[in-house]
Amino acid sequence: MGRFSEPPDPLFQAINTSLAFDRRLWPHDVAQSRAHAKMLAGAGIIATDDRDAILAGLDTVEQELATGEFPFLASDEDIHMAIERRLTELTSAGARMHTARSRNDQVVTDVALFTRAAAQETLEAIASLSDALLEVAERHVDWPLPGYTHLQRAQPIYLSHHLLAYFWMLQRDRERFEAVVEAASVLPLGAGALAGVNFETDREAVAAELGFASVSPNSLDAVSNRDFVFDYLAAATTCATHLSRLGQEIVLWTSSEFGFMTLSDAWSSGSSLMPQKKNPDAAELLRAKAPRITGHLAALHGVMHALPLTYNKDLQEDKEHLFDSVDTLLDCLRAAEGMIRTARFHREAMATAAGDEAIAATDLADMLVRQGVAFRDAHGKVGEVVRVAEESGRPLKDVAVEQLGPESEAVLEQASWLESKVSQGGTSLPRVREQLEAARALL
Ligand code: ARG
């Protein structure tokens, strides 16, 4: 017990322990301890015999953790203490492993390793969903549907164009997670508790062994820093928010009112009461999971706000926000992929909705612009045509031909509304094909 004369209060112990959630850091903690022990021996700080005993002990520890046979004790406060305690049971050299290291630089190093691996796994899931979107876009290159603003039919577009919008969002997410990998690639280990350690350690060697690109230049900053966790959470918030919009569109499109899309049975659920129902629960969850990650980001900002340097126990509260965000985002990315890859789209229903003549009003206005009318005036004239058609119940085409001239007829052919969007990034087929090519090249 050292300097303490009574044991910790059980409630204090309960809120102080982090083992229940930080045990998943074990592979990183073992890797770190191996690198640290090798460095200590290399720098002549511990004997090579002790190093070998530590490495052999860590092999056993790793084996026990991997198979679930590791003997945890109720008194293990966190995974770091548990591993060191077990190692020391296995070999007396274990008591030397913590030389020139503090739990403060040890913890943040594990969290950096975890964050880097999580960002890499997230990048793989993003690439896989991107591939699914691209593949489904390629299969539906020229399927028209309405594009919406204010959830009102606005202008027709191709399904490929719509799906590719999500592809490009995900490419920005990819860049953000690449930046997370970089932010988590500065080694904190070697900072000690806060001020550095009393030995000439070789931090570069540890960095190289653990795959860090560089070594933190300031020990105080090293043990206080959780910026890379912020970076993961911020990138995850944006990415999950993108997926929430996809989820919402799937919910709309699979409704009878839209009828644009059917999810595979594997991604749908039934109702306990209404036998006819096929519900898009997974898409609804894509919608609802995003704010949970946003909440984790806000919570960590709360934890870090005005926190004095350097380590404070508050920092233990970084982990659950990070872990739950990683798990949630990976689930969302993989669920979105599963839904998109196996969904069926309904050409007829989409084309009928896209065939609503009123949605070519902009094209009629542009026809007048080509004839020399100023756009604002053209906008007014076409607006009137739409009003007359609506009030009289006559087809838009008839009123347009009557009021704007016979050229209106060709403009109101559906293919021309779509193929007229020739500007770079527009929905015309040549432009969509450019996008598809650029997207393929990126993957
Ligand atoms: N479980 C703790 C954490 O995650 C370990 C760090 C404790 N360090 C200390 N000096 N008390 O932050």
Side-chain angles (χ1 to χ4, degrees):
M1 233 179 271
R3 85 181 289 293
F4 296 96
S5 57
E6 53 177 352
D9 186 280
L11 178 56
F12 166 56
Q13 222 167 358
I15 61 166
N16 195 41
T17 176
S18 53
L19 183 64
F21 50 87
D22 68 17
R23 65 168 69 197
R24 69 190 282 178
L25 289 174
W26 75 259
H28 306 298
D29 205 68
V30 169
Q32 174 190 154
S33 290
R34 281 194 180 116
H36 184 65
K38 287 183 202 167
M39 182 281 291
L40 289 176
I45 299 166
I46 62 170
T48 52
D49 288 357
D50 287 333
R51 174 199 59 199
D52 294 342
I54 289 171
L55 293 179
L58 285 171
D59 286 347
T60 306
V61 166
E62 180 178 46
Q63 179 74 18
E64 290 176 345
L65 283 161
T67 55
E69 282 155 18
F70 185 94
F72 283 106
L73 299 181
S75 55
D76 291 335
E77 189 182 307
D78 59 24
I79 187 64
H80 322 285
M81 303 287 269
I83 289 177
E84 189 182 335
R85 189 255 316 145
R86 178 69 184 138
L87 179 71
T88 309
E89 283 166 13
L90 293 166
T91 164
S92 61
R96 298 188 188 277
M97 184 180 63
H98 209 55
T99 314
R101 182 171 74 170
S102 155
R103 239 188 322 157
N104 298 350
D105 59 348
Q106 179 181 6
V107 168
V108 64
T109 299
D110 283 357
V111 176
L113 287 166
F114 174 89
T115 304
R116 175 153 47 101
Q120 277 156 348
E121 200 177 340
T122 307
L123 283 165
E124 281 164 30
I126 287 175
S128 197
L129 173 58
S130 300
D131 177 72
L133 286 162
L134 184 50
E135 188 254 322
V136 177
E138 280 164 344
R139 273 198 274 126
H140 303 86
V141 184
D142 60 351
W143 291 34
L145 78 160
Y148 295 82
T149 61
H150 311 270
L151 205 52
Q152 308 286 325
R153 288 177 190 164
Q155 295 183 334
I157 51 168
Y158 289 117
L159 179 56
S160 51
H161 195 53
H162 196 108
L163 294 171
L164 285 168
Y166 286 101
F167 177 93
W168 296 113
M169 288 181 223
L170 287 171
Q171 300 328 295
R172 295 194 296 275
D173 291 326
R174 176 174 56 77
E175 285 170 14
R176 277 182 277 271
F177 283 105
E178 282 167 359
V180 175
V181 171
E182 236 176 85
S185 292
V186 181
L187 176 75
L189 195 67
L194 74 159
V197 297
N198 299 338
F199 297 90
E200 269 286 343
T201 53
D202 185 353
R203 299 184 66 203
E204 299 289 347
V206 176
E209 165 119 11
L210 293 174
F212 285 90
S214 62
V215 164
S216 65
N218 181 301
S219 60
L220 305 178
D221 181 38
V223 292
S224 307
N225 177 30
R226 295 295 184 277
D227 288 1
F228 50 86
V229 182
F230 277 133
D231 293 344
Y232 186 95
L233 297 183
T237 294
T238 305
C239 184
T241 302
H242 289 155
L243 299 180
S244 77
R245 301 179 75 173
L246 178 64
Q248 165 66 352
E249 295 205 314
I250 294 173
V251 171
L252 284 174
W253 288 9
T254 54
S255 69
S256 318
E257 281 68 18
F258 275 77
F260 291 179
M261 183 181 187
T262 305
L263 290 172
S264 64
D265 285 356
W267 288 101
S268 310
S269 41
S271 155
S272 58
L273 186 137
M274 299 164 280
Q276 85 284 10
K277 294 272 282 183
K278 185 166 163 180
N279 294 328
D281 293 41
E284 294 169 282
L285 289 166
L286 276 195
R287 239 177 11 193
K289 294 281 188 192
R292 169 174 171 150
I293 298 180
T294 312
H296 287 310
L297 174 64
L300 188 65
H301 275 289
V303 169
M304 300 292 288
H305 174 81
L307 198 66
L309 302 185
T310 54
Y311 181 86
N312 300 271
K313 196 60 176 258
D314 310 50
L315 289 172
Q316 179 165 287
E317 289 289 313
D318 59 353
K319 287 166 209 60
E320 284 169 290
H321 297 303
L322 174 63
F323 295 164
D324 186 69
S325 297
V326 172
D327 295 341
T328 302
L329 182 62
L330 286 172
D331 282 350
C332 287
L333 285 163
R334 289 164 184 159
E337 180 183 350
M339 279 188 273
I340 288 292
R341 277 205 200 277
T342 58
R344 276 184 303 117
F345 293 90
H346 304 300
R347 189 166 202 155
E348 255 325 291
M350 292 194 301
T352 304
D356 178 349
E357 284 184 322
I359 93 178
T362 316
D363 297 73
L364 282 175
D366 285 344
M367 175 193 82
L368 297 179
V369 168
R370 286 208 174 77
Q371 295 167 359
V373 182
F375 180 76
R376 284 291 164 214
D377 299 336
H379 186 282
K381 280 191 182 146
V382 175
E384 195 167 309
V385 168
V386 173
R387 186 175 53 77
V388 170
E390 255 181 37
E391 284 175 6
S392 64
R394 294 168 60 204
L396 182 74
K397 194 184 273 180
D398 296 359
V399 182
V401 167
E402 194 176 286
Q403 295 200 4
L404 307 176
E407 316 84 280
S408 306
E409 184 147 2
V411 171
L412 287 174
E413 291 304 317
Q414 198 192 100
S416 82
W417 316 338
L418 281 150
E419 288 309 308
S420 58
K421 299 296 177 295
V422 294
S423 57
Q424 192 177 2
T427 202
S428 69
L429 278 179
R431 291 305 194 179
V432 170
R433 292 221 159 85
E434 278 174 11
Q435 272 190 72
L436 288 170
E437 251 172 65
R440 249 312 144 221
L442 255 180
L443 287 186

